[in-house]
Amino acid sequence: MASNHIESNTLQFSEDMEKPHILVIATGGTIASKEGELGLTPAMSGEELVSDIPGIRNVCTLDVIQLMNIDSTNMRPCQWLKIRDAIMEHYNCYDGFVILHGTDTMAYTAALSYLIQNSKKPIILTGSQKPMGNPYTDAKINLYQSILYAADAKSCNVCIVFNGKVVSGTRGRKQRTRSFDAFESMNFPELAIIRDNRIIRYYTEALPAPEDLITYDRLNDRVFVLKLTPEVKSEIFSLLFDHYDAIILETFGIGGIPAYDDSFEQAIFHWVDSGKTIAVTTQVPEEGCDLGVYQVGKKYSDHPGILQSDDMTTESIVAKLMWILGQSSEQAKISQLYYKEINHDRV
């Protein structure tokens, strides 16, 4: 049972207490970058990054693996699966996991919410806006607070920890390109904030039981995001037909789809009636989509093959559809899984 009761706790360990065992999985990103001839590129190892954090070994027993060392622009679904495999390979040996990741695609890699569901053990993504070696970096506090949160027995599931905020993995979005306060929790409360060594929880829930854990190892990456713009041509659907199995349609406003002729209606209905998937969302960041409000959207609201995304983020829609289409191509099953709430992705 979820609750919005505010709860605060500070991690403290006596000398005879066994500290939590945390695995750090390094993948690259700005946090690991150094300046080169062509700009910043990942160069530091996970071991080097962890060694720069004072007091971190007072919080937990720590191990590090270097899974890859890439700019997150180059992070792809096949690498989400590698991260998933690394977590599951070590799952029984650790109390929590911290993934060091670039910020640009971190919200997509939180697809781990779908690949590893109902995890009693926390799986935390973090990174930084400035490299660890920068004298004004945010890397140290983000890494420290992520490990602090991962080491807490009340933490669970996939989250982003950044700039003192704890955000559900399906609700995070990078909203700022330069500020340390880069991530927001979209259309859902922050799970907690972290101040010094204190975790202040705004949203608590019952921990999943160990037997509730479900994992998946298949994705279908044939998912395309189509953002409507004035005068975009409906022929785009036929151009995409051979290359993609699903389109995420970012509509105008609360759910507006052009109706100046019948071409969009024909293209959309042809797509879904051919067995392919369309998920409708809005290009407006906050408050979500509702096709039933305006005439320009209502004709699509009752079609069983057109999925409505409510207030989900586009990043979570992409990840969720890749996961769903990796499990089934049947429209009824796709719809069933899409409307199932997973890690707070839709409420």
Side-chain angles (χ1 to χ4, degrees):
M1 177 68 69
S3 168
N4 60 1
H5 172 70
I6 296 177
E7 179 180 316
S8 174
N9 61 290
T10 302
L11 285 187
Q12 294 180 330
F13 301 102
S14 62
E15 291 185 3
D16 58 346
M17 288 178 63
E18 184 177 348
K19 295 175 185 175
H21 202 181
I22 304 299
L23 179 64
V24 173
I25 301 173
T27 71
T30 296
I31 193 169
S33 290
K34 292 183 177 180
E35 192 71 49
E37 292 183 4
L38 300 177
L40 289 172
T41 188
M44 293 183 70
S45 70
E47 289 282 1
E48 291 175 300
L49 294 172
V50 167
S51 69
D52 271 339
I53 312 300
I56 203 169
R57 308 248 176 213
N58 296 329
V59 174
C60 64
T61 302
L62 201 63
D63 292 324
V64 182
I65 60 173
Q66 187 77 45
L67 196 60
M68 59 194 81
N69 210 3
I70 62 174
D71 191 299
S72 72
T73 297
N74 295 321
M75 184 69 72
R76 301 161 66 189
C78 60
Q79 285 149 334
W80 302 346
L81 290 170
K82 288 183 179 179
I83 298 171
R84 176 262 178 210
D85 291 346
I87 293 169
M88 295 316 303
E89 180 182 348
H90 297 90
Y91 193 83
N92 292 329
C93 301
Y94 293 89
D95 299 300
F97 303 86
V98 173
I99 301 158
L100 305 183
H101 195 288
T103 59
D104 290 347
T105 61
M106 187 182 294
Y108 291 99
T109 301
L112 291 165
S113 295
Y114 301 107
L115 295 172
I116 305 174
Q117 298 180 23
N118 305 323
S119 175
K120 184 178 185 294
K121 301 179 180 184
I123 299 167
I124 310 303
L125 292 108
T126 196
S128 64
Q129 291 285 72
K130 292 187 181 297
M132 183 65 80
N134 186 293
Y136 305 106
T137 186
D138 56 330
K140 293 185 179 183
I141 189 65
N142 285 347
L143 179 48
Y144 179 79
Q145 290 181 339
S146 296
I147 289 173
L148 194 73
Y149 191 77
D152 190 275
K154 295 180 181 178
S155 302
C156 62
N157 287 317
V158 178
C159 306
I160 293 170
V161 173
F162 210 93
N163 195 49
K165 297 177 182 178
V166 183
V167 178
S168 172
T170 64
R171 290 291 184 167
R173 170 171 284 177
K174 186 176 181 181
Q175 288 285 87
R176 301 170 188 88
T177 59
R178 300 178 187 273
S179 303
F180 288 170
D181 190 19
F183 283 86
E184 294 291 342
S185 182
M186 306 305 298
N187 301 313
F188 193 79
E190 294 168 6
L191 301 179
I193 60 172
I194 304 173
R195 294 291 179 264
D196 298 321
N197 285 345
R198 295 175 62 228
I199 299 171
I200 304 168
R201 296 182 182 274
Y202 292 141
Y203 191 99
T204 57
E205 55 193 328
L207 290 173
E211 60 269 20
D212 293 336
L213 180 70
I214 307 172
T215 68
Y216 298 85
D217 60 5
R218 293 192 309 277
L219 294 167
N220 178 344
D221 61 11
R222 288 165 57 91
V223 175
F224 187 82
V225 178
L226 176 58
K227 181 175 182 175
L228 293 181
T229 56
E231 280 301 330
V232 66
K233 307 303 181 189
S234 62
E235 289 82 1
I236 189 69
F237 287 88
S238 61
L239 295 174
L240 297 171
F241 195 87
D242 290 337
H243 302 284
Y244 294 93
D245 297 325
I247 287 177
I248 298 163
L249 189 63
E250 288 194 341
T251 65
F252 298 117
I254 201 169
I257 298 172
Y260 31 73
D261 57 38
D262 294 333
S263 61
F264 267 93
E265 182 178 350
Q266 292 170 2
I268 289 171
F269 285 141
H270 175 262
W271 183 277
V272 294
D273 291 341
S274 299
K276 292 180 179 284
T277 300
I278 283 184
V280 177
T281 186
T282 172
Q283 52 196 262
V284 181
E286 298 186 25
E287 299 182 349
C289 179
D290 185 349
L291 285 174
V293 174
Y294 288 94
Q295 183 179 350
V296 288
K298 195 169 181 62
K299 69 182 71 174
Y300 305 100
S301 62
D302 296 326
H303 193 292
I306 297 176
L307 305 173
Q308 299 196 53
S309 304
D310 300 325
D311 63 1
M312 295 174 68
T313 67
T314 295
E315 293 89 340
S316 67
I317 299 170
V318 169
K320 191 168 193 177
L321 283 179
M322 287 185 179
W323 162 65
I324 291 171
L325 295 176
Q327 316 314 312
S328 179
S329 59
E330 297 180 9
Q331 280 193 345
K333 183 65 173 178
I334 291 169
S335 179
Q336 176 193 353
L337 291 174
Y338 194 71
Y339 290 115
K340 178 183 179 182
E341 180 190 341
I342 297 172
N343 198 20
H344 313 299
D345 64 353
R346 56 188 310 136
V347 178

